[in-house]
Amino acid sequence: MITQLLNPNSRLIQPTTSGIEAAALALSASQLVAFPTETVYGLGANANNDKAVASIYFAKGRPTFNPLIVHIPSIESALQFVKIDDRAHNLLSTFSPGALSLVLPRRSDSPLSLLVSAGLDTVAIRIPAHPIAQALLNACQLPIAAPSANTSGAVSPTTALHVLNGWPDPANEGPSLVIDGANCAIGLESTVLDLTTPTVTLLRPGGVSLEDIETAIGPIAISTNDDTAPRSPGMLARHYAPNTPIRLNAKTVSKHEIFLGFGQSGPKTEYNLSPTGDLIEAAANLFAVLRQLDDLNALSIAVAPIPLTGIGLAINDRLTRATSTIHE
Ligand code: TXA
Ligand code: MG
């Protein structure tokens, strides 16, 4: 825990009963609260309130055509917001609570702010497993709209300190409170599935693997991320980007580059996503290591090949977006 490193007026609060109550009160008062989930930290707001949801877009500098994930505590609580068919029920029963977000048709009588849907007639919902996220949802009794708690286009935060660093001036439009939940166990964002299409479509690879989803429900379609008309509007090619250029599938390193290893192959390096070649460990380390390397002011980062299996698909997806030259 890092409270003692920061001044007493800091926005950082501990996940005690009184801390969670304070965070729930802040959400009810339309303020932004950053909180941990098992994937990454979210920048939360009362999803029923237009002003609160609008302040998320403002704080992140997020394009207003990019809809938000609504966090809810349980399957039952989803019923008032979205239409849940058998496919959705099956997926939610198998993978929730957890790192899965489902895009579903919005109910016409849904109390959610229209801004969470950014003009679409759908809503993405997620039931997070993290006990602090669950405690917050239960304390505030509100659906919480929450994108990753970083400014738009930056690397997602996996610690409370990453969140605070994103809005260094407390007087600025960032979260009024940040709940300290240490490191996120998964370390990259949830898998996003579109259930409004005849075949379930993977919009974003993430914490739940494609293999596990296909084992549960059979083959699914994979969205091609066309930047001119993104199916998942947040999936613009350049996203999750550190400032330093990145070269992928590197087997060698040149002298102006820093090598980021995976496993034992490739040039010797002090930076390795997982020395044992464990993809789960690599995912958990990815964003923190990218931030660390960015701070070294190297000209370029060369990253070792990472297998495309399991969560490796999501790791490669985030790295590919970090290398793209198309800007959001
Ligand atoms: O792990 C996560 O998913 C984190 C934690 C905080 O839950 N949240 C997160 O949110 O990564 P964000 O806003 O950074 O990414 C949400 C993604 C975006 O690509 C967005 O376009 C897509 O989900 N999305 C949200 N609602 C959608 C909708 N109705 N239709 C299509 N895509 C949607
Ligand atoms: Mg994000």
Side-chain angles (χ1 to χ4, degrees):
M1 300 288 170
I2 55 180
T3 325
Q4 56 275 30
L5 300 177
L6 298 155
N7 75 52
N9 298 326
S10 144
R11 295 154 286 173
L12 192 70
I13 55 168
Q14 295 303 315
T16 54
T17 307
S18 60
I20 297 288
E21 273 165 17
L25 272 178
L27 285 172
S28 311
S30 301
Q31 292 173 14
L32 299 182
V33 172
F35 63 98
T37 80
E38 65 277 25
T39 57
V40 299
Y41 277 70
L43 183 66
N46 174 0
N48 289 337
N49 183 290
D50 290 334
K51 187 171 150 276
V53 177
S55 63
I56 292 181
Y57 287 94
F58 186 69
K60 280 187 65 99
R62 182 180 178 107
T64 49
F65 56 77
N66 190 1
L68 302 171
I69 297 173
V70 175
H71 297 70
I72 49 175
S74 62
I75 303 184
E76 300 71 59
S77 59
L79 299 173
Q80 56 179 312
F81 306 121
V82 285
K83 297 179 193 154
I84 308 258
D85 62 8
D86 286 348
R87 269 188 332 185
H89 199 272
N90 183 11
L91 279 163
L92 288 172
S93 331
T94 312
F95 296 108
S96 290
L100 182 71
S101 299
L102 298 184
V103 175
L104 293 163
R106 187 185 166 103
R107 281 181 64 121
S108 55
D109 58 353
S110 160
L112 293 172
S113 164
L114 287 170
L115 295 174
V116 300
S117 299
L120 303 171
D121 52 8
T122 56
V123 178
I125 54 147
R126 175 173 170 217
I127 304 170
H130 197 295
I132 296 175
Q134 279 287 337
L136 184 61
L137 284 162
N138 285 309
C140 71
Q141 293 285 309
L142 291 167
I144 302 179
S148 51
N150 53 279
T151 51
S152 190
V155 175
S156 293
T158 54
T159 67
L161 196 54
H162 293 163
V163 178
L164 292 167
N165 287 342
W167 289 277
D169 178 0
N172 256 336
E173 58 275 355
S176 20
L177 296 174
V178 178
I179 308 177
D180 186 1
N183 295 1
C184 300
I186 295 177
L188 45 75
E189 301 86 346
S190 63
T191 303
V192 182
L193 293 181
D194 187 354
L195 268 72
T196 64
T197 44
T199 309
V200 173
T201 306
L202 177 71
L203 296 181
R204 176 176 75 180
V208 176
S209 75
L210 178 61
E211 292 91 332
D212 284 351
I213 290 164
E214 294 199 319
T215 301
I217 61 164
I220 65 170
I222 297 180
S223 166
T224 52
N225 289 305
D226 174 357
D227 265 355
T228 56
R231 284 279 298 286
S232 187
M235 298 311 287
L236 302 179
R238 185 173 170 85
H239 209 71
Y240 313 103
N243 297 318
T244 316
I246 294 184
R247 183 167 67 85
L248 295 182
N249 295 317
K251 299 200 172 76
T252 57
V253 62
S254 64
K255 69 172 187 299
H256 62 273
E257 289 178 323
I258 294 181
F259 187 67
L260 175 57
F262 175 77
Q264 290 304 318
S265 64
K268 254 185 111 60
T269 180
E270 58 182 292
Y271 302 100
N272 198 311
L273 287 170
S274 168
T276 59
D278 175 351
L279 286 169
I280 309 265
E281 181 184 28
N285 287 333
L286 180 69
F287 289 146
V289 171
L290 289 180
R291 281 169 186 267
Q292 200 187 351
L293 294 181
D294 227 9
D295 290 344
L296 296 176
N297 292 324
L299 285 179
S300 179
I301 304 167
V303 188
I306 315 243
L308 277 160
T309 51
I311 202 165
L313 185 66
I315 297 175
N316 277 285
D317 171 82
R318 303 307 188 270
L319 285 168
T320 306
R321 281 172 211 293
T323 61
S324 168
T325 52
I326 301 167
H327 289 258
E328 195 175 313

